Amino acid sequence: MQKTTLARLLCGLTLVGALGACGGNTDSAGNPLGSMNAANSNSNANANGNNGNGQTTPPGQQVVNRALVIELDGLTYAALAAGIANGSLPNLAKLQVAPAYSGGVNGTLTQQPNLDTPSWATLLTGTWADRHQVLSDAPNQAMQAPTAFDTLKTAQAGLLGAAVDSANLASLLAGERNAGNLDTLANCASVDNCVTQQSATMIDQGYSLVVAQYHSAEDAALNYGVNAPAYANTLKQLDAAVGALVDATAKRKKENWLIVVTGGHGLNAAGGSDGLPLLSESTTFIAMNQADNGRLGSAAQPASLADLHTRASIADVAPTVLAQLNALPGASAYEMDGGELIGAQPVSQLAGTTSTDGQSLVLSWVAPSTGAIAVWRAGQQIATLPAGTTTYTDSQLGLTAAGTYRFDYVVTAAGAAGNAPVGGIEQIRYVPPPPPPPPLATTLKSGLVDYYPFGALPAVDALNASTMGPFAADANGGSLAADPFGGQGLQVSTQTVDANGYDGYKLVQNADIATQPQFTIGMWVMTPCTDVVGFGTPVFANKNWQSGKNPGIAIGLFPQASGAPSGTCNIQYNAGDGTNRNDLKTMNVTANKWVYAAFVIDTVGKTMTAYTFDPVIGEQKQTTPLTVSLSALPGLGTKTFGMNEDGTGQYHMLACGHPASYYSGGYTVNACATVKPNVESFSDVATWNRVVTETELQSIAGSGKPLSTILH
């Protein structure tokens, strides 16, 4: 163990020696870059030139702003507060301390794991993982958002350095060093003394920004637990390291040092880091040597995640450092999620939700007490709002195609020191509104023979070309039910039957439509599907449905077909002549949905076509050659179509004892009393003496209007 410690210490000393050879960048006047006049210094520096370390600078002499960020992995806010209270952390006790959150806000784009590497990336970039794209502790990740080093180097803010305990953080920062954004990167390989010495040397050499990262507290918490003496002793050592670095800044003349001490994330109850979005693991802290702008808030332990998310966050550290060094980007170029904790108070808690219309984003935030509000999107100002405004609806997103869109927003509050920005990325899943329904084709008036709009009973043909009613006067099984148009249609149940076995409804025409060379039958129909038996249930038929070969035409329902969507049954269309049959099968209807069914017979073109328009499944169409004898199409020859029945009016009662009573042709009173009745609903039943085109039928199915709207 002693050999290992000595090796690590020698490594630290070697790195310090290498750092001592580094030079510093200066401006044309020979001053370190990043300096500024006292008159323009951060508002936290006193007017008499107080450098933040208890020293004063004579009037007229230049004051240079500097920043030191100390990151203490594994120091929980609870342990920090306890150590301050019991006097074991005297150096940290000298700072202004408050809880802060890590891990973003749960359930939003900002949420990220409470792990070391994503948290380091947030501290360095001022963004959450949706921007920086560091999503785990996996090695060899690269940050996809600009770091504070990048921004400061572009602003020629002077020498920038970092001394780090953790190999993963050294790897994460290697890209910054290789790009020339980081003048010194000291990989101290878990030696705390190395971090302290390297950081102190950088401070002594006039670095503008020094980042010092310690990992020993997290190791102690994992190995021994947060209640163990070893953990408490580690915190005391880290407090001493903080004191040493603060003392190093105090020795610098004519420099105004901002010191920020923070942790990457909290720990679980066992002292580990599993990345979960829980209160203990999302609670960390921010401590500063300068007064904040009001954003740090109360030092009280957060009671809930909602309470925690009203506090500052680790994403606020990078903007605060940039503000200290006069390099905070303006609103049009702002790419951070956090906001500064010094100077002008920015808005906070910027969030967005999709509006109820699905086409706009509603932004909300907490506004500072003063300052006009401006909203920016993608670098362009889109709104100016009065001071105190806390919400804005962006309805000018220009969305036309379905998809997921992300928008980068910045909201600024104009304070005494200028506009203080805060940013965020919001997402909207856009689904275009459905196109307007097609108009109902006025050509549907042509060839219309009979039409039932319902709305009242007894049902009346609007064209006076037919009659409708129950098959038997003492078997009135009809009632009114809501139709697809907000009116009332006809509901027919097979439960009501007379002594001779008649049930259902019948439509009796003055002139038999089935004798026409071309004709179309169309109707809205709804079924629960649950009462459809294996041998079929008639919907509309002018034949005896004992067999599909029987003369006539029929529309019927069958149980759900193989491979069909659940919650459906199968609608079929049939024509027979006594010997042969033509069928159109395997079209599906959704249970308890109004479906438009159309049956087109063209004896001239020798075709039989069926259309089924289901609101869930869509349009289904089938065509087959019409080969049966055309003279057989009138079926029983009574000009009668059964509704929820066949042309005999006795199908259900004869079939309930299938097969014996059905094929024998007999019926026994009350034989079907225990059989669950079949219920079917009808609306806008119509026939035409021509071929109604597919386009016309599509207008019926899509317009949402009954035929009665074109008859006036």
Side-chain angles (χ1 to χ4, degrees):
M1 179 63 72
Q2 291 176 345
K3 291 182 180 179
T4 302
T5 303
L6 179 59
R8 288 183 174 178
L9 180 58
L10 288 174
C11 172
L13 291 175
T14 301
L15 288 169
V16 171
L19 179 63
C22 296
N25 292 343
T26 60
D27 61 18
S28 59
N31 298 313
L33 291 174
S35 64
M36 63 182 224
N37 294 328
N40 296 323
S41 65
N42 184 276
S43 60
N44 291 293
N46 293 335
N48 64 0
N50 190 318
N51 68 0
N53 302 305
Q55 300 177 351
T56 59
T57 301
Q61 292 194 21
Q62 196 173 52
V63 175
V64 181
N65 275 6
R66 300 284 191 243
L68 168 64
V69 176
I70 304 173
E71 205 264 332
L72 304 177
D73 292 330
L75 173 53
T76 67
Y77 181 66
L80 174 59
I84 291 174
N86 64 29
S88 62
L89 304 176
N91 293 297
L92 288 166
K94 297 174 184 177
L95 304 176
Q96 180 185 358
V97 180
Y101 69 88
S102 61
V105 177
N106 299 350
T108 73
L109 293 176
T110 67
Q111 183 174 346
Q112 67 184 37
N114 282 304
L115 298 172
D116 289 339
T117 316
S119 299
W120 294 332
T122 295
L123 286 167
L124 294 167
T125 65
T127 70
W128 301 108
D130 58 325
R131 292 189 199 253
H132 63 60
Q133 291 298 299
V134 177
L135 305 174
S136 70
D137 280 336
N140 303 318
Q141 297 187 79
M143 293 176 287
Q144 303 301 313
T147 66
F149 298 121
D150 183 1
T151 303
L152 289 169
K153 190 57 68 174
T154 300
Q156 298 182 323
L159 291 172
L160 313 172
V164 302
D165 251 357
S166 301
N168 272 6
L169 180 52
S171 175
L172 196 64
L173 286 172
E176 294 298 295
R177 178 196 58 201
N178 296 339
N181 298 327
L182 192 56
D183 297 286
T184 297
L185 174 58
N187 182 354
C188 288
S190 301
V191 180
D192 283 358
N193 285 341
C194 168
V195 175
T196 304
Q197 294 168 3
Q198 293 281 14
S199 299
T201 301
M202 284 186 271
I203 292 169
D204 186 56
Q205 291 184 345
Y207 274 57
S208 295
L209 171 62
V210 178
V211 174
Q213 179 255 345
Y214 298 85
H215 198 70
S216 53
E218 189 163 329
D219 293 336
L222 181 61
N223 292 331
Y224 307 106
V226 294
N227 297 316
Y231 179 70
N233 289 334
T234 301
L235 298 190
K236 292 178 183 179
Q237 294 170 13
L238 290 172
D239 181 78
V242 170
L245 294 181
V246 171
D247 288 345
T249 66
K251 296 175 183 178
R252 302 292 298 168
K253 307 300 182 182
K254 294 184 290 187
E255 291 179 354
N256 172 38
W257 279 88
L258 169 69
I259 299 172
V260 180
V261 184
T262 187
H265 56 82
L267 301 175
N268 60 27
S273 302
D274 51 29
L276 296 178
L278 304 177
L279 180 60
S280 65
E281 298 179 57
S282 297
T283 303
T284 183
F285 68 93
I286 293 175
M288 298 197 305
N289 69 327
Q290 297 184 13
D292 75 305
N293 56 13
R295 297 230 12 250
L296 277 185
S298 169
Q301 183 79 32
S304 64
L305 278 172
D307 179 14
L308 177 63
H309 291 149
T310 66
R311 315 297 182 93
S313 78
I314 59 173
D316 297 323
V317 172
T320 302
V321 169
L322 295 179
Q324 167 73 3
L325 299 178
N326 289 340
L328 192 68
S332 62
Y334 203 78
E335 297 179 338
M336 291 179 284
D337 297 311
E340 62 183 288
L341 298 172
I342 58 176
Q345 187 182 98
V347 304
S348 59
Q349 302 177 53
L350 176 62
T353 57
T354 302
S355 63
T356 54
D357 65 10
Q359 303 178 53
S360 307
L361 277 169
V362 180
L363 302 177
S364 62
W365 57 84
V366 173
S369 57
T370 60
I373 303 295
V375 180
W376 303 67
R377 178 184 1 100
Q380 300 293 320
Q381 186 172 347
I382 60 174
T384 300
L385 307 169
T389 303
T390 60
T391 186
Y392 175 75
T393 299
D394 187 0
S395 56
Q396 304 299 318
L397 299 176
L399 305 179
T400 57
T404 300
Y405 297 85
R406 290 192 175 192
F407 296 94
D408 196 345
Y409 288 98
V410 173
V411 179
T412 65
N419 288 329
V422 68
I425 295 176
E426 302 302 334
Q427 180 172 290
I428 183 171
R429 175 79 178 109
Y430 175 65
V431 179
L440 187 62
T442 57
T443 55
L444 288 164
K445 292 186 292 186
S446 173
L448 187 61
V449 174
D450 42 44
Y451 166 57
Y452 286 86
F454 299 112
L457 292 179
V460 176
D461 183 352
L463 302 177
N464 297 315
S466 65
T467 59
M468 183 184 293
F471 258 100
D474 57 348
N476 187 351
S479 61
L480 293 174
D483 70 9
F485 317 111
Q488 292 182 306
L490 172 67
Q491 186 175 85
V492 178
S493 170
T494 60
Q495 187 174 33
T496 305
V497 58
D498 78 347
N500 296 310
Y502 286 96
D503 64 354
Y505 254 55
K506 61 181 178 180
L507 186 157
V508 182
Q509 297 180 311
N510 296 344
D512 195 343
I513 193 72
T515 63
Q516 299 296 311
Q518 298 173 318
F519 61 92
T520 300
I521 299 168
M523 68 193 71
W524 288 95
V525 63
M526 181 170 66
T527 172
C529 285
T530 54
D531 307 320
V532 179
V533 292
F535 43 90
T537 298
V539 175
F540 196 81
N542 68 353
K543 64 186 294 181
N544 182 327
W545 193 339
Q546 187 180 32
S547 168
K549 293 181 180 180
N550 285 345
I553 55 178
I555 304 172
L557 292 172
F558 292 81
Q560 179 179 322
S562 176
S566 61
T568 64
C569 47
N570 186 240
I571 190 169
Q572 300 185 13
Y573 301 79
N574 163 264
D577 61 9
T579 303
N580 303 302
R581 60 188 292 175
N582 296 144
D583 293 281
L584 297 170
K585 300 181 178 181
T586 63
M587 284 189 272
N588 302 303
V589 296
T590 303
N592 298 308
K593 298 289 185 183
W594 282 103
V595 175
Y596 195 77
F599 198 7
V600 181
I601 302 292
D602 183 359
T603 65
V604 178
K606 299 292 195 298
T607 59
M608 184 174 89
T609 305
Y611 300 87
T612 302
F613 297 90
D614 185 284
V616 177
I617 300 170
E619 178 182 346
Q620 301 160 85
K621 174 185 177 182
Q622 290 184 25
T623 300
T624 190
L626 186 64
T627 60
V628 300
S629 173
L630 305 183
S631 62
L633 296 181
L636 298 174
T638 60
K639 308 177 189 178
T640 299
F641 285 90
M643 299 173 65
N644 197 5
E645 253 298 346
D646 67 4
T648 70
Q650 294 181 303
Y651 170 79
H652 284 289
M653 293 303 106
L654 297 181
C656 72
H658 185 78
S661 64
Y662 185 47
Y663 289 113
S664 68
Y667 172 70
T668 302
V669 175
N670 294 327
C672 299
T674 60
V675 176
K676 189 175 183 180
N678 184 64
V679 178
E680 294 174 6
S681 299
F682 300 86
S683 181
D684 251 32
V685 176
T687 65
W688 290 263
N689 60 9
R690 65 177 180 89
V691 171
V692 177
T693 68
E694 182 176 6
T695 300
E696 290 176 309
L697 293 171
Q698 288 171 340
S699 80
I700 294 176
S703 69
K705 296 184 179 299
L707 293 172
S708 58
T709 58
I710 62 171
L711 296 183
H712 303 293

